[in-house]
């Protein structure tokens, strides 16, 4: 949040986003809305899942790293199954969170983004998501 300990210079661009989506700004914070903390918890799980996939890919993959035609890196056996499960599960979590953001706005009567013009909403809220 603007004025916070880590705001400048690390999160200075984020101040603009907090004016577009009040869910991540002072209005939600002051009302005690817990959605952002719940979302952050899911973000941690999502990141752990992607790191797990990357670990399996790097440590148990076979083949070349180069992205040259005819050369591929693959994961076989049980590790391959785990990689597929992790990749699919975490991708589904990412997709579900994106749908949740849109549904949350719709069912809350656009309380947190309804103050924006359409062009500002497209440029600063829809496209980045």
């Amino acid at each position: 949040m603007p004025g916070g300990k880590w705001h400048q210079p690390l999160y200075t661009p984020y101040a603009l986003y907090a004016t577009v989506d009040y869910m991540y700004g002072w209005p939600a914070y002051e009302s005690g809305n817990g959605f952002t903390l719940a979302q952050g918890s899911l973000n941690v799980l999502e990141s752990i899942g992607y790191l797990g996939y990357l670990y399996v890919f790097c440590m148990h993959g076979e083949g070349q790293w180069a992205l040259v035609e005819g050369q591929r890196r693959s994961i076989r056996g049980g590790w391959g199954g785990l990689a597929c499960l992790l990749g699919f599960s975490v991708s589904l979590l990412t997709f579900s969170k994106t749908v949740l953001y849109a549904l949350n706005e719709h069912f809350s009567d656009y309380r947190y983004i309804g103050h924006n013009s359409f062009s500002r909403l497209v440029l600063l809220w829809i496209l980045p998501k």
Side-chain angles (χ1 to χ4, degrees):
M1 299 284 192
K5 179 179 179 180
W6 299 104
H7 177 71
Q8 203 167 21
L10 201 55
Y11 294 104
T12 303
Y14 186 75
L16 173 64
Y17 188 79
T19 65
V20 173
D21 189 347
Y22 288 161
M23 180 64 72
Y24 303 99
W26 288 113
Y29 178 77
E30 291 169 351
S31 71
N33 189 319
F35 180 82
T36 320
L37 291 174
Q39 174 202 356
S41 301
L42 288 177
N43 288 347
V44 169
L45 291 175
E46 183 181 19
S47 296
I48 290 170
Y50 282 123
L51 287 172
Y53 177 85
L54 185 61
Y55 173 81
V56 171
F57 180 79
C58 292
M59 300 306 290
H60 301 285
E62 302 167 352
Q64 298 294 323
W65 285 91
L67 296 177
V68 178
E69 190 170 333
Q71 295 181 344
R72 292 190 166 189
R73 188 159 179 82
S74 63
I75 307 169
R76 301 176 192 274
W79 288 110
L82 179 62
C84 286
L85 181 63
L86 274 173
F88 177 77
S89 300
V90 179
S91 297
L92 184 61
L93 177 59
T94 302
F95 174 75
S96 299
K97 284 178 22 192
T98 303
V99 171
L100 179 65
Y101 303 153
L103 290 176
N104 186 49
E105 284 301 323
H106 176 72
F107 291 124
S108 66
D109 202 26
Y110 300 96
R111 180 180 325 160
Y112 298 105
I113 62 168
H115 61 282
N116 294 294
S117 67
F118 180 72
S119 60
R120 180 179 162 107
L121 196 60
V122 168
L123 183 64
L124 298 173
W125 194 78
I126 295 172
L127 288 178
K129 291 197 181 280

